[in-house]
Structure formats: C-alpha cells, structure tokens
Amino acid sequence: MESKEWQKAITHFEEALKGNPTDNEHVRTYGMHFIEYFPHRELGICYYYLGDNTNATRELNISLKQEPSSRAQDFIKQLSGKITVSSLPYRRKAISWLQMLR
C-alpha cells in the first residue's frame, strides 16, 4: 500500500482477512505485542484509490461498524464529497498486513 500498488495491497488485505476478519485497535501479534489491525479500512482505501467507490464504501462501513476510526470516517466523508483526501493529516504509515501474518 505504501508503494501505491493498490491491487497488490488488496490481495494482501484479503489474505489477512482470512486469518482474522475483524478490524480492531488492539490485536495481539506475539506475546505482549499489540498492533492496530484494520484490514477492512485499508482495503476500502485501496478500492477508493482504484475508483471503485461501491467496494470502498462497503469495506469502510464494515470497518466503522467493527472498530470506528477517524481515518475510515474521513474516507467515507471523501466518498460523499464532504472533504478532500489531500487535506487529511495522517501521521502514521499503513502497515503491511502480510508482514504481520508471517
């Protein structure tokens, strides 16, 4: 996702969803290590950048129902035309979900 290879990222997020289909702010990865896990949200963002608004909206809404986040809310607003993505102030980079599964 960081390299903007949206279709490749979609494949990885779909694979991640097979292992754990629920977005969650605190998922245990190993021992006492926790991460933010939002495959539906990030999948929705990939679809957004590919211009697939139907799938983007579906995935972002799933994410919001499972674990609300401002990032998902902002992209939903973008899809409805209320804000522009270029104005969003994100500080964190997307996590490579496939690397987490290894």
Side-chain angles (χ1 to χ4, degrees):
M1 193 170 172
E2 288 177 5
S3 62
K4 299 182 181 179
E5 294 184 48
W6 309 119
Q7 197 59 53
K8 195 174 190 179
I10 286 171
T11 302
H12 294 309
F13 289 124
E14 288 174 344
E15 189 66 28
L17 286 167
K18 291 177 186 176
N20 181 354
T22 306
D23 285 15
N24 196 315
E25 191 171 358
H26 302 287
V27 173
R28 185 186 308 261
T29 58
Y30 180 78
M32 293 299 295
H33 298 274
F34 292 87
I35 61 164
E36 291 184 358
Y37 180 76
F38 290 93
H40 284 289
R41 180 186 72 193
E42 301 303 312
L43 187 55
I45 293 168
C46 289
Y47 282 127
Y48 168 86
Y49 283 115
L50 288 174
D52 186 344
N53 293 348
T54 301
N55 283 323
T57 301
R58 184 192 72 231
E59 292 297 330
L60 290 165
N61 282 324
I62 290 170
S63 180
L64 287 170
K65 287 178 185 174
Q66 292 178 354
E67 185 74 38
S69 69
S70 60
R71 184 167 159 91
Q73 290 170 348
D74 288 343
F75 274 90
I76 286 290
K77 288 177 187 174
Q78 171 60 28
L79 285 164
S80 67
K82 294 181 181 176
I83 61 170
T84 60
V85 169
S86 61
S87 68
L88 301 177
Y90 293 109
R91 295 179 195 95
R92 288 181 270 166
K93 293 183 178 180
I95 296 172
S96 172
W97 300 108
L98 184 61
Q99 289 177 340
M100 291 185 327
L101 293 174
R102 292 182 184 171

